[in-house]
Amino acid sequence: MIMLGLLGLDLFGLVVGVVTHLPSVKVESLEPSFDDPVTNVTAIAGDTVTLPCSVKNLKDYKVMWLDHRTKTLTLEARRIIADERITIERPDIGDWNLYIHGVELSDAGKYMCQVNTVPVKIKYVILTVHEPPEIIPELSSKEEVFVRESDTVQLVCNVTGVPTPTVRWYKKSPNRRHYSYNDKEMIGHDGMVLRIRNISRYCDDVYQCVADNGVKLPVSRDIKVTVQFPPEIHLPTKKLSQAVGKETILNCEVTSNPSMYSAWTRDGITIQNSDKFKIDLYEDYKNMVTLSMKISDIQKPDFGVYRCEAQNEFGRDFKDFFLYELVTTTPSPSTPSAVTTTTPVHVYVFTWTPSVRTYTPRREYHSKDRPPLATKKKPKGSNGQPRFLPNNTFYLIGLLTTLSVIIK
């Protein structure tokens, strides 16, 4: 028993000695850390933007926010600067988010969320601010531009925005028939300036610049271009004849911009509305009017030359119209002439060609070869002489027959 007791004391002393002489173990606490080292944030100017910063194991350390100019903005939850747009929001115990209300373009840059450890721990938040396109009226062309025909006009549409907007130009043509507001034709090249050289009256239109950078909706501006030119006169008919006592209408087409003065004149005197003359003005197309003059109960003094005149600040033009008297003639009654009856004469023409007899030479016979001739009695007349007809008897008979037919 004594031995066991001594042995137990020795084991206890050994255990104590071992525990006593073990090296001390120091438990180190975890350092603060961020959820993400870098965060990119994009905002639209005027909106409220959140710069996130979440810290783990912060303990007794402090959190600070610095802007892209390394200016201290906040310390813990307190705002250091006077900018009331900036606040600290903590939706969770580890969140130290920086809020910027009504963010501006100048707010864009690299922000730092810092923890004052040694060395300092930093999280970077890169803020990008976009701005919708905007047209600057005072630096752009007016809403209506006047230009003279054949001159060069330059239309300007000065815009801002981030990223830089693309500016496109359209021709709206509101004066076309069956026009819809959405009907427009893209013209020219992209850019803030549209240049039209040697402009003509047919370029007189509404032009639209549209700026777009993908931020919110595009913006546009309408610019009405008015092309001015001297008047031009066209007469559909230059000559007309009418009878006394009738009425007629003279038409004159005037194209000009601006349209300042147009009238019918005679011998240098402007014709006014009266019982005889009635003048009306009709607007046909853009920059074109018809000056119509009705003349009632035309008398001989009304025939002659009428002049259509037009004038504006850029020039004048005129055309002459000739009104003639229409003379109608009545044909005199005709006397019926005697009718002569002619009996047609039928003429018959006969052509007779005497036949040509062929002559066959006689064959000479010797008396010894000639056969005996048969004797034939010739006819004799009453006096006992032989009867015969001359050779031209048949010719005379045929000629007499022909003459008798012709006479009939």
Side-chain angles (χ1 to χ4, degrees), residues 50-73:
T50 302
L51 307 185
C53 182
S54 181
V55 184
K56 297 178 181 179
N57 304 315
L58 181 60
K59 296 186 177 180
D60 295 331
Y61 293 103
K62 309 298 182 182
V63 178
M64 301 173 58
W65 274 99
L66 290 80
D67 64 8
H68 52 283
R69 293 178 289 267
T70 67
K71 181 178 180 180
T72 302
L73 304 177

PDB file of all heavy atoms in Angstrom, residues 50-73:
ATOM      1  N   THR A  50     -26.599  53.875 -54.424  1.00  0.00           N
ATOM      2  CA  THR A  50     -26.094  53.215 -53.223  1.00  0.00           C
ATOM      3  C   THR A  50     -24.717  52.637 -53.501  1.00  0.00           C
ATOM      4  O   THR A  50     -24.559  51.834 -54.439  1.00  0.00           O
ATOM      5  CB  THR A  50     -27.039  52.087 -52.777  1.00  0.00           C
ATOM      6  OG1 THR A  50     -28.341  52.622 -52.540  1.00  0.00           O
ATOM      7  CG2 THR A  50     -26.521  51.412 -51.519  1.00  0.00           C
ATOM      8  N   LEU A  51     -23.732  53.039 -52.688  1.00  0.00           N
ATOM      9  CA  LEU A  51     -22.388  52.465 -52.772  1.00  0.00           C
ATOM     10  C   LEU A  51     -22.262  51.457 -51.630  1.00  0.00           C
ATOM     11  O   LEU A  51     -22.181  51.838 -50.454  1.00  0.00           O
ATOM     12  CB  LEU A  51     -21.322  53.556 -52.649  1.00  0.00           C
ATOM     13  CG  LEU A  51     -21.452  54.743 -53.617  1.00  0.00           C
ATOM     14  CD1 LEU A  51     -20.265  55.679 -53.478  1.00  0.00           C
ATOM     15  CD2 LEU A  51     -21.585  54.257 -55.043  1.00  0.00           C
ATOM     16  N   PRO A  52     -22.247  50.168 -51.937  1.00  0.00           N
ATOM     17  CA  PRO A  52     -22.304  49.157 -50.874  1.00  0.00           C
ATOM     18  C   PRO A  52     -20.942  48.922 -50.204  1.00  0.00           C
ATOM     19  O   PRO A  52     -19.889  48.979 -50.847  1.00  0.00           O
ATOM     20  CB  PRO A  52     -22.771  47.906 -51.621  1.00  0.00           C
ATOM     21  CG  PRO A  52     -22.237  48.088 -53.005  1.00  0.00           C
ATOM     22  CD  PRO A  52     -22.285  49.557 -53.282  1.00  0.00           C
ATOM     23  N   CYS A  53     -20.980  48.666 -48.901  1.00  0.00           N
ATOM     24  CA  CYS A  53     -19.778  48.292 -48.148  1.00  0.00           C
ATOM     25  C   CYS A  53     -20.226  47.468 -46.947  1.00  0.00           C
ATOM     26  O   CYS A  53     -20.868  47.993 -46.017  1.00  0.00           O
ATOM     27  CB  CYS A  53     -18.998  49.520 -47.698  1.00  0.00           C
ATOM     28  SG  CYS A  53     -17.478  49.105 -46.817  1.00  0.00           S
ATOM     29  N   SER A  54     -19.898  46.180 -46.947  1.00  0.00           N
ATOM     30  CA  SER A  54     -20.251  45.274 -45.859  1.00  0.00           C
ATOM     31  C   SER A  54     -18.964  44.750 -45.225  1.00  0.00           C
ATOM     32  O   SER A  54     -18.091  44.218 -45.923  1.00  0.00           O
ATOM     33  CB  SER A  54     -21.095  44.117 -46.395  1.00  0.00           C
ATOM     34  OG  SER A  54     -21.464  43.249 -45.362  1.00  0.00           O
ATOM     35  N   VAL A  55     -18.836  44.903 -43.891  1.00  0.00           N
ATOM     36  CA  VAL A  55     -17.617  44.550 -43.164  1.00  0.00           C
ATOM     37  C   VAL A  55     -17.923  43.432 -42.173  1.00  0.00           C
ATOM     38  O   VAL A  55     -18.899  43.519 -41.403  1.00  0.00           O
ATOM     39  CB  VAL A  55     -17.031  45.767 -42.422  1.00  0.00           C
ATOM     40  CG1 VAL A  55     -15.704  45.403 -41.748  1.00  0.00           C
ATOM     41  CG2 VAL A  55     -16.855  46.938 -43.369  1.00  0.00           C
ATOM     42  N   LYS A  56     -17.058  42.405 -42.162  1.00  0.00           N
ATOM     43  CA  LYS A  56     -17.169  41.310 -41.198  1.00  0.00           C
ATOM     44  C   LYS A  56     -16.093  41.475 -40.113  1.00  0.00           C
ATOM     45  O   LYS A  56     -14.989  41.940 -40.398  1.00  0.00           O
ATOM     46  CB  LYS A  56     -16.996  39.974 -41.902  1.00  0.00           C
ATOM     47  CG  LYS A  56     -18.065  39.676 -42.939  1.00  0.00           C
ATOM     48  CD  LYS A  56     -17.791  38.346 -43.613  1.00  0.00           C
ATOM     49  CE  LYS A  56     -18.847  38.049 -44.682  1.00  0.00           C
ATOM     50  NZ  LYS A  56     -18.563  36.766 -45.366  1.00  0.00           N
ATOM     51  N   ASN A  57     -16.437  41.070 -38.925  1.00  0.00           N
ATOM     52  CA  ASN A  57     -15.502  41.098 -37.798  1.00  0.00           C
ATOM     53  C   ASN A  57     -14.928  42.500 -37.563  1.00  0.00           C
ATOM     54  O   ASN A  57     -13.712  42.668 -37.395  1.00  0.00           O
ATOM     55  CB  ASN A  57     -14.349  40.101 -38.002  1.00  0.00           C
ATOM     56  CG  ASN A  57     -14.848  38.692 -38.225  1.00  0.00           C
ATOM     57  OD1 ASN A  57     -15.740  38.215 -37.516  1.00  0.00           O
ATOM     58  ND2 ASN A  57     -14.294  38.026 -39.219  1.00  0.00           N
ATOM     59  N   LEU A  58     -15.775  43.474 -37.581  1.00  0.00           N
ATOM     60  CA  LEU A  58     -15.310  44.854 -37.406  1.00  0.00           C
ATOM     61  C   LEU A  58     -14.800  45.106 -35.983  1.00  0.00           C
ATOM     62  O   LEU A  58     -13.794  45.812 -35.777  1.00  0.00           O
ATOM     63  CB  LEU A  58     -16.445  45.827 -37.749  1.00  0.00           C
ATOM     64  CG  LEU A  58     -16.106  47.307 -37.627  1.00  0.00           C
ATOM     65  CD1 LEU A  58     -14.952  47.679 -38.546  1.00  0.00           C
ATOM     66  CD2 LEU A  58     -17.321  48.159 -37.898  1.00  0.00           C
ATOM     67  N   LYS A  59     -15.485  44.552 -35.004  1.00  0.00           N
ATOM     68  CA  LYS A  59     -15.154  44.738 -33.584  1.00  0.00           C
ATOM     69  C   LYS A  59     -15.075  46.221 -33.228  1.00  0.00           C
ATOM     70  O   LYS A  59     -16.017  46.968 -33.484  1.00  0.00           O
ATOM     71  CB  LYS A  59     -13.876  43.994 -33.253  1.00  0.00           C
ATOM     72  CG  LYS A  59     -14.028  42.474 -33.420  1.00  0.00           C
ATOM     73  CD  LYS A  59     -12.807  41.723 -32.958  1.00  0.00           C
ATOM     74  CE  LYS A  59     -13.045  40.211 -33.076  1.00  0.00           C
ATOM     75  NZ  LYS A  59     -11.868  39.450 -32.624  1.00  0.00           N
ATOM     76  N   ASP A  60     -13.924  46.628 -32.716  1.00  0.00           N
ATOM     77  CA  ASP A  60     -13.806  48.019 -32.264  1.00  0.00           C
ATOM     78  C   ASP A  60     -13.195  48.950 -33.311  1.00  0.00           C
ATOM     79  O   ASP A  60     -12.906  50.105 -33.002  1.00  0.00           O
ATOM     80  CB  ASP A  60     -12.940  48.073 -30.985  1.00  0.00           C
ATOM     81  CG  ASP A  60     -13.602  47.359 -29.816  1.00  0.00           C
ATOM     82  OD1 ASP A  60     -14.863  47.318 -29.793  1.00  0.00           O
ATOM     83  OD2 ASP A  60     -12.878  46.857 -28.954  1.00  0.00           O
ATOM     84  N   TYR A  61     -13.059  48.460 -34.528  1.00  0.00           N
ATOM     85  CA  TYR A  61     -12.462  49.303 -35.554  1.00  0.00           C
ATOM     86  C   TYR A  61     -13.523  50.272 -36.100  1.00  0.00           C
ATOM     87  O   TYR A  61     -14.723  50.078 -35.924  1.00  0.00           O
ATOM     88  CB  TYR A  61     -11.886  48.458 -36.689  1.00  0.00           C
ATOM     89  CG  TYR A  61     -10.694  47.643 -36.244  1.00  0.00           C
ATOM     90  CD1 TYR A  61     -10.820  46.283 -35.981  1.00  0.00           C
ATOM     91  CD2 TYR A  61      -9.446  48.244 -36.098  1.00  0.00           C
ATOM     92  CE1 TYR A  61      -9.730  45.534 -35.576  1.00  0.00           C
ATOM     93  CE2 TYR A  61      -8.347  47.489 -35.688  1.00  0.00           C
ATOM     94  CZ  TYR A  61      -8.500  46.147 -35.431  1.00  0.00           C
ATOM     95  OH  TYR A  61      -7.422  45.409 -35.030  1.00  0.00           O
ATOM     96  N   LYS A  62     -13.024  51.275 -36.789  1.00  0.00           N
ATOM     97  CA  LYS A  62     -13.887  52.328 -37.331  1.00  0.00           C
ATOM     98  C   LYS A  62     -13.955  52.213 -38.861  1.00  0.00           C
ATOM     99  O   LYS A  62     -12.985  51.809 -39.504  1.00  0.00           O
ATOM    100  CB  LYS A  62     -13.372  53.722 -36.957  1.00  0.00           C
ATOM    101  CG  LYS A  62     -13.092  53.901 -35.467  1.00  0.00           C
ATOM    102  CD  LYS A  62     -14.349  53.728 -34.626  1.00  0.00           C
ATOM    103  CE  LYS A  62     -14.038  53.954 -33.137  1.00  0.00           C
ATOM    104  NZ  LYS A  62     -15.226  53.747 -32.293  1.00  0.00           N
ATOM    105  N   VAL A  63     -15.111  52.618 -39.437  1.00  0.00           N
ATOM    106  CA  VAL A  63     -15.325  52.632 -40.892  1.00  0.00           C
ATOM    107  C   VAL A  63     -15.396  54.075 -41.361  1.00  0.00           C
ATOM    108  O   VAL A  63     -16.112  54.891 -40.773  1.00  0.00           O
ATOM    109  CB  VAL A  63     -16.606  51.876 -41.283  1.00  0.00           C
ATOM    110  CG1 VAL A  63     -16.828  51.961 -42.793  1.00  0.00           C
ATOM    111  CG2 VAL A  63     -16.532  50.431 -40.834  1.00  0.00           C
ATOM    112  N   MET A  64     -14.695  54.351 -42.450  1.00  0.00           N
ATOM    113  CA  MET A  64     -14.687  55.694 -43.045  1.00  0.00           C
ATOM    114  C   MET A  64     -14.952  55.583 -44.553  1.00  0.00           C
ATOM    115  O   MET A  64     -14.570  54.599 -45.185  1.00  0.00           O
ATOM    116  CB  MET A  64     -13.331  56.388 -42.812  1.00  0.00           C
ATOM    117  CG  MET A  64     -12.937  56.559 -41.362  1.00  0.00           C
ATOM    118  SD  MET A  64     -11.253  57.203 -41.204  1.00  0.00           S
ATOM    119  CE  MET A  64     -11.380  58.725 -42.128  1.00  0.00           C
ATOM    120  N   TRP A  65     -15.596  56.636 -45.102  1.00  0.00           N
ATOM    121  CA  TRP A  65     -15.791  56.748 -46.557  1.00  0.00           C
ATOM    122  C   TRP A  65     -15.010  57.961 -47.057  1.00  0.00           C
ATOM    123  O   TRP A  65     -15.081  59.041 -46.471  1.00  0.00           O
ATOM    124  CB  TRP A  65     -17.268  56.935 -46.912  1.00  0.00           C
ATOM    125  CG  TRP A  65     -18.028  55.636 -47.049  1.00  0.00           C
ATOM    126  CD1 TRP A  65     -18.827  55.058 -46.117  1.00  0.00           C
ATOM    127  CD2 TRP A  65     -18.057  54.804 -48.202  1.00  0.00           C
ATOM    128  NE1 TRP A  65     -19.367  53.897 -46.597  1.00  0.00           N
ATOM    129  CE2 TRP A  65     -18.915  53.705 -47.895  1.00  0.00           C
ATOM    130  CE3 TRP A  65     -17.459  54.843 -49.462  1.00  0.00           C
ATOM    131  CZ2 TRP A  65     -19.179  52.675 -48.791  1.00  0.00           C
ATOM    132  CZ3 TRP A  65     -17.736  53.812 -50.354  1.00  0.00           C
ATOM    133  CH2 TRP A  65     -18.573  52.746 -50.036  1.00  0.00           C
ATOM    134  N   LEU A  66     -14.269  57.731 -48.162  1.00  0.00           N
ATOM    135  CA  LEU A  66     -13.545  58.810 -48.835  1.00  0.00           C
ATOM    136  C   LEU A  66     -13.978  58.840 -50.292  1.00  0.00           C
ATOM    137  O   LEU A  66     -14.233  57.786 -50.907  1.00  0.00           O
ATOM    138  CB  LEU A  66     -12.029  58.620 -48.748  1.00  0.00           C
ATOM    139  CG  LEU A  66     -11.353  58.808 -47.374  1.00  0.00           C
ATOM    140  CD1 LEU A  66     -11.517  57.559 -46.513  1.00  0.00           C
ATOM    141  CD2 LEU A  66      -9.884  59.147 -47.537  1.00  0.00           C
ATOM    142  N   ASP A  67     -14.078  60.040 -50.880  1.00  0.00           N
ATOM    143  CA  ASP A  67     -14.489  60.145 -52.281  1.00  0.00           C
ATOM    144  C   ASP A  67     -13.277  60.022 -53.201  1.00  0.00           C
ATOM    145  O   ASP A  67     -12.157  59.749 -52.746  1.00  0.00           O
ATOM    146  CB  ASP A  67     -15.247  61.444 -52.525  1.00  0.00           C
ATOM    147  CG  ASP A  67     -14.382  62.680 -52.306  1.00  0.00           C
ATOM    148  OD1 ASP A  67     -13.162  62.539 -52.116  1.00  0.00           O
ATOM    149  OD2 ASP A  67     -14.950  63.792 -52.327  1.00  0.00           O
ATOM    150  N   HIS A  68     -13.524  60.228 -54.521  1.00  0.00           N
ATOM    151  CA  HIS A  68     -12.473  60.043 -55.526  1.00  0.00           C
ATOM    152  C   HIS A  68     -11.395  61.115 -55.424  1.00  0.00           C
ATOM    153  O   HIS A  68     -10.358  60.997 -56.060  1.00  0.00           O
ATOM    154  CB  HIS A  68     -13.087  60.056 -56.931  1.00  0.00           C
ATOM    155  CG  HIS A  68     -13.957  61.257 -57.190  1.00  0.00           C
ATOM    156  ND1 HIS A  68     -15.234  61.363 -56.678  1.00  0.00           N
ATOM    157  CD2 HIS A  68     -13.729  62.384 -57.886  1.00  0.00           C
ATOM    158  CE1 HIS A  68     -15.763  62.502 -57.071  1.00  0.00           C
ATOM    159  NE2 HIS A  68     -14.868  63.154 -57.806  1.00  0.00           N
ATOM    160  N   ARG A  69     -11.651  62.136 -54.610  1.00  0.00           N
ATOM    161  CA  ARG A  69     -10.629  63.157 -54.374  1.00  0.00           C
ATOM    162  C   ARG A  69      -9.947  62.938 -53.025  1.00  0.00           C
ATOM    163  O   ARG A  69      -9.307  63.854 -52.503  1.00  0.00           O
ATOM    164  CB  ARG A  69     -11.269  64.545 -54.438  1.00  0.00           C
ATOM    165  CG  ARG A  69     -11.771  64.916 -55.828  1.00  0.00           C
ATOM    166  CD  ARG A  69     -12.450  66.283 -55.843  1.00  0.00           C
ATOM    167  NE  ARG A  69     -13.738  66.227 -55.145  1.00  0.00           N
ATOM    168  CZ  ARG A  69     -14.900  65.994 -55.742  1.00  0.00           C
ATOM    169  NH1 ARG A  69     -14.937  65.775 -57.050  1.00  0.00           N
ATOM    170  NH2 ARG A  69     -16.028  65.963 -55.039  1.00  0.00           N
ATOM    171  N   THR A  70     -10.138  61.737 -52.449  1.00  0.00           N
ATOM    172  CA  THR A  70      -9.594  61.351 -51.131  1.00  0.00           C
ATOM    173  C   THR A  70     -10.039  62.308 -50.033  1.00  0.00           C
ATOM    174  O   THR A  70      -9.290  62.584 -49.092  1.00  0.00           O
ATOM    175  CB  THR A  70      -8.054  61.255 -51.165  1.00  0.00           C
ATOM    176  OG1 THR A  70      -7.513  62.568 -51.372  1.00  0.00           O
ATOM    177  CG2 THR A  70      -7.582  60.299 -52.250  1.00  0.00           C
ATOM    178  N   LYS A  71     -11.229  62.807 -50.210  1.00  0.00           N
ATOM    179  CA  LYS A  71     -11.807  63.674 -49.185  1.00  0.00           C
ATOM    180  C   LYS A  71     -12.705  62.837 -48.296  1.00  0.00           C
ATOM    181  O   LYS A  71     -13.552  62.078 -48.794  1.00  0.00           O
ATOM    182  CB  LYS A  71     -12.594  64.795 -49.850  1.00  0.00           C
ATOM    183  CG  LYS A  71     -13.220  65.781 -48.875  1.00  0.00           C
ATOM    184  CD  LYS A  71     -13.948  66.877 -49.657  1.00  0.00           C
ATOM    185  CE  LYS A  71     -14.591  67.873 -48.722  1.00  0.00           C
ATOM    186  NZ  LYS A  71     -15.305  68.946 -49.475  1.00  0.00           N
ATOM    187  N   THR A  72     -12.519  62.968 -46.974  1.00  0.00           N
ATOM    188  CA  THR A  72     -13.304  62.172 -46.028  1.00  0.00           C
ATOM    189  C   THR A  72     -14.758  62.633 -46.052  1.00  0.00           C
ATOM    190  O   THR A  72     -15.065  63.820 -45.877  1.00  0.00           O
ATOM    191  CB  THR A  72     -12.736  62.294 -44.616  1.00  0.00           C
ATOM    192  OG1 THR A  72     -11.369  61.872 -44.621  1.00  0.00           O
ATOM    193  CG2 THR A  72     -13.525  61.442 -43.637  1.00  0.00           C
ATOM    194  N   LEU A  73     -15.634  61.655 -46.231  1.00  0.00           N
ATOM    195  CA  LEU A  73     -17.063  61.955 -46.304  1.00  0.00           C
ATOM    196  C   LEU A  73     -17.770  61.624 -44.998  1.00  0.00           C
ATOM    197  O   LEU A  73     -18.570  62.423 -44.493  1.00  0.00           O
ATOM    198  CB  LEU A  73     -17.705  61.178 -47.467  1.00  0.00           C
ATOM    199  CG  LEU A  73     -17.098  61.388 -48.854  1.00  0.00           C
ATOM    200  CD1 LEU A  73     -17.811  60.490 -49.863  1.00  0.00           C
ATOM    201  CD2 LEU A  73     -17.203  62.841 -49.268  1.00  0.00           C
TER     202      LEU A  73
END
